[in-house]
Structure formats: C-alpha cells, structure tokens
Amino acid sequence: MQQTIGVLAFQGDFHRHLTVFEELGLAVRPVRRPEELAGLDGLVLPGGESTTIGKLIERFGLLAAIRDAAAAGLSVMGTCAGAILLSRGIVGSDQPRLGLLDTEIERNAYGRQVDSFEADIEVPALGPESLRGVFIRAPRYVACGPAVEVLARFEGAPVIIREGPHLALTFHPELTGDTRLHRYFVEMTRTTSC
Ligand code: GLN
C-alpha cells in the first residue's frame, strides 16, 4: 500500500519536502488542520522559525492533535525548527512545542557570525558515503535522554537523533538532492505503523 506523508505547511521550507517525497513515489499532503492528520503514515515538521510555527500549530489546534496522533502511532520527523518543536526542553524558552523527544535543545546555537554553514556528516545508518548537512541558524542538542539514539554527530553534538518512531535533525536535508534521510524516515514509518 502506498504510504502517505504529511508536511506541516504553515511556514518555512515545506514545499521542498513535499516535492522530495512526491519524487520518491509517495502520496503527500500539506497539513494545516487537525483533520488532515487522518490516515498519515508520517508527518514532517520543516525548518523555518520555531516560535512562529509553534504559535500557529497551537492556534489551529494542531499541537494537541499531533500529540494525540503520535500517541496513536504517527511517526514525526522534525528538521531544524521542527527539531526544536519536537524537543521537550528548549534552553531559555517557554515557546509552544510538541515535546515528543526527551531532549534539551539550544536555538541558534552556532552563533550569529556563522548563521549558515555546510558540513559533511558521517551517518553510519545511511551507508559509508557522508551526508552534506546544510545548517541554517541551526539549533544544537545539549542533552538527550536514555531512550534517544544518536545517528550522527557534528563537533561532538548530536545532529541526527531517533527516539522510537520519531526522527529529528538539526539541519536541512531537503536542500541538497540527497534523499537518503527522507527514505530512511519513510522506512521508519513502515516499520513503526501498524
Ligand atoms: N533558528 C530557527 C529557530 O530557532 C531555526 C532555523 C531553521 O529552521 N533553519 O526556530
């Protein structure tokens, strides 16, 4: 059966994620309302501005709806701002969040002078070829709970993590043409959904 992947489509880089999954042969759906979560196998929270996206999902009833859907088995992948929204703790912030991952994350942690950079990341779970990471005002994990599996690090800090059915990364995987992380997530939704 064809999988359906939803992408939260309020703000940020959601178009590219939709295109990547579409090109991989999946059914895709932009998500802006709680009803649009029905029947999804996976949901992507794109990069953007986590405070803006958090306020919008709260206002549109999606904060509670995504939590409920996740409790019922929906896999979620958060990239950059999406990783911030997935984190239980956000350093110095009480902004709205889903908090599905047992992590503490620091926003804009790589400093203003290097707002953006690219780096080759070793990701053993994706094979021997390194992955080009595009970090745009990226956050950094400062703590991860015992159930969190670290799939890749950069300068010692986790940049791709997994906890149960959820995946989070602190960079933008949709900008390089390398679709291995998107495919990895689709594979996760296959093995975790019933
Ligand atoms: N700096 C943004 C935030 O704190 C995240 C940046 C991004 O998603 N590229 O929400």
Side-chain angles (χ1 to χ4, degrees):
M1 213 179 70
Q2 194 185 28
Q3 309 278 107
T4 304
I5 304 292
V7 180
L8 195 66
F10 284 114
Q11 194 262 348
D13 204 15
F14 57 89
H15 279 296
R16 289 224 199 197
H17 283 288
L18 287 166
T19 306
V20 171
F21 287 114
E22 209 163 28
E23 285 175 1
L24 290 174
L26 290 129
V28 297
R29 184 190 302 160
V31 172
R32 297 187 187 88
R33 290 158 8 140
E35 309 84 85
E36 290 162 345
L37 295 171
L40 291 183
D41 297 287
L43 175 70
V44 174
L45 314 176
E49 194 55 46
S50 61
T51 47
T52 307
I53 300 173
K55 279 182 202 149
L56 288 168
I57 62 175
E58 191 171 50
R59 187 181 309 159
F60 286 86
L62 272 159
L63 200 58
I66 295 171
R67 280 199 195 116
D68 290 348
L74 178 69
S75 288
V76 183
M77 167 166 120
T79 74
C80 204
I84 297 168
L85 290 165
L86 280 178
S87 188
R88 181 180 46 72
I90 304 172
V91 175
S93 173
D94 61 0
Q95 67 193 81
R97 74 207 64 179
L98 292 158
L100 299 177
L101 300 182
D102 186 15
T103 53
E104 173 93 17
I105 201 164
E106 185 184 355
R107 297 177 59 204
N108 303 322
Y110 293 92
R112 279 180 170 274
Q113 70 283 13
V114 276
D115 275 350
S116 293
F117 62 94
E118 294 188 18
D120 287 323
I121 311 292
E122 303 302 323
V123 195
L126 298 182
E129 210 181 302
S130 63
L131 185 83
R132 190 81 178 152
V134 181
F135 294 80
I136 303 171
R137 300 211 313 132
R140 181 162 49 202
Y141 286 107
V142 295
C144 294
V148 172
E149 188 186 346
V150 177
L151 299 182
R153 291 179 186 271
F154 174 68
E155 292 179 343
V159 290
I160 308 176
I161 64 162
R162 178 177 177 165
E163 185 175 344
H166 309 308
L167 183 68
L169 34 143
T170 59
F171 55 92
H172 285 252
E174 76 284 9
L175 298 174
T176 57
D178 186 335
T179 60
R180 281 179 293 164
L181 265 173
H182 290 84
R183 284 184 274 143
Y184 183 86
F185 178 60
V186 171
E187 205 48 52
M188 277 175 62
T189 72
R190 280 209 178 96
T191 50
T192 54
S193 65
C194 38

